[in-house]
Amino acid sequence: MKPLIMKPLIMKPLITLGIVSTTFGCTSEPKENVNDHGHRQGLHQEHHHGGHERSHGSPAAAELIVATEPAEPVAGLPVTLKLMIHSADGTMVKDLDIVHEEKVHLVIVRDGLDRFAHIHPSVDAEGRLTITHTFPVGGRYRLFADYAPTGGGHATALGSVFVAGDAPPAPSLVPNVPGDVEADGLRTSVSAEPLKAGQATRVAFALADENDGSAQLEPFMGALGHLMFVSAAGEYVHVHPVLEDATAGKVEFEAHFPEPGLYKGWGQFKQDGQVRVIPFVVDVR
Ligand SMILES: [Cu+2]
């Protein structure tokens, strides 16, 4: 327990920093010292700056600047996330191409990889992203903004948020793919070959409905299925769909795992008008 007497001492600098970062934190001018900005944000949001957290698959390491309302999010209560994407050279990213019907795909994963959300913030003309989200439990969450800057390739910006409230420990990761996975009213066999770092891994789903027939999949966000991976170390892996067969319930993706280790995947498929999430774990050698 922290002594109560500490609270006024901590609160004042937090509020000051919050104003500094939302008012002056992001401009379209290149920033001379992005680290300085990031570290100030770090005091506020436990924003980590380590290069090891970058997505190796991205052409440039980008940073997601995170501000929240309220400033200290609490589990179970709606939080407005106000986000800005800073590219590797410190400029704010404003012009975004639409990919899979959205400008930004925001993936939110709790440390321990037991909580997952995939949502789509609104993007204004200045490149400011806004969305309201309710974090289910307390803990630190990583935010991965998946986007495509106009005229550039695909990229991912990384940020994080600490959420107060009951924070049950995440169950340990147990590899279950290749194999059969049952979740959210769907049964699927999932294969992944080769499960080797630095190679193109083909991840194939064959989905069945509750009666063991092929699941009749419906497209959503411009594809029959969506898949993302995050490593145990918190590294985001971008995945491309490569094959779709709606009537056979087959969807295949290509993933590039940067390093060996455990990765959690979340496949998303729409059936009977509902988007279902299939979580699973792979062990990449
Ligand atoms: Cu999305």
Side-chain angles (χ1 to χ4, degrees):
M1 294 292 285
K2 287 176 187 168
L4 272 176
I5 192 76
M6 289 297 289
K7 200 170 182 185
L9 297 174
I10 295 169
M11 285 306 290
K12 193 173 179 186
L14 281 178
I15 290 164
T16 308
L17 289 169
I19 291 166
V20 167
S21 56
T22 47
T23 309
F24 304 109
C26 216
T27 70
S28 49
E29 299 301 315
K31 292 192 74 68
E32 284 187 4
N33 193 339
V34 175
N35 280 336
D36 177 54
H37 178 91
H39 286 146
R40 281 190 277 120
Q41 192 74 19
L43 289 171
H44 187 208
Q45 297 281 7
E46 292 198 1
H47 188 104
H48 283 220
H49 229 275
H52 63 281
E53 290 183 343
R54 301 296 183 206
S55 170
H56 289 203
S58 303
E63 184 179 8
L64 191 64
I65 309 299
V66 182
T68 62
E69 274 180 18
E72 296 182 44
V74 177
L77 299 175
V79 179
T80 300
L81 300 170
K82 298 184 167 186
L83 314 171
M84 294 175 284
I85 298 170
H86 277 187
S87 62
D89 65 1
T91 52
M92 185 166 165
V93 177
K94 292 198 292 187
D95 300 316
L96 301 163
D97 285 339
I98 291 173
V99 179
H100 286 144
E101 300 177 1
E102 300 285 348
K103 283 186 170 176
V104 175
H105 297 262
L106 182 65
V107 173
I108 301 177
V109 177
R110 191 170 83 122
D111 278 4
L113 312 184
D114 64 333
R115 303 289 174 155
F116 165 86
H118 172 185
I119 55 179
H120 302 102
S122 64
V123 184
D124 74 10
E126 300 304 312
R128 293 168 192 274
L129 320 179
T130 308
I131 192 162
T132 299
H133 180 66
T134 301
F135 294 89
V137 294
R140 194 171 80 102
Y141 289 78
R142 289 168 203 268
L143 275 54
F144 305 95
D146 203 321
Y147 67 100
T150 300
H154 161 266
T156 306
L158 171 62
S160 69
V161 172
F162 184 80
V163 177
D166 188 32
S172 56
L173 299 175
V174 179
N176 62 339
V177 158
D180 294 329
V181 182
E182 197 169 340
D184 226 353
L186 282 176
R187 262 196 298 271
T188 177
S189 76
V190 190
S191 64
E193 276 193 5
L195 272 177
K196 287 183 178 164
Q199 299 194 17
T201 302
R202 188 95 164 192
V203 183
F205 293 79
L207 295 120
D209 61 19
E210 283 151 351
N211 307 316
D212 271 341
S214 295
Q216 301 298 300
L217 300 177
E218 303 150 35
F220 70 105
M221 289 187 296
L224 213 50
H226 299 269
L227 173 65
M228 36 241 106
F229 286 100
V230 176
S231 74
E235 195 158 29
Y236 185 77
V237 180
H238 181 71
V239 176
H240 302 276
V242 289
L243 185 148
E244 299 186 333
D245 186 336
T247 50
K250 286 192 196 308
V251 186
E252 296 187 19
F253 303 87
E254 192 177 280
H256 294 256
F257 298 105
E259 290 165 24
L262 294 176
Y263 290 77
K264 187 152 184 179
W266 295 268
Q268 294 187 285
F269 305 94
K270 190 173 181 183
Q271 189 217 15
D272 283 344
Q274 191 190 331
V275 176
R276 297 149 196 273
V277 182
I278 297 179
F280 61 95
V281 177
V282 292
D283 185 4
V284 176
R285 302 303 172 109

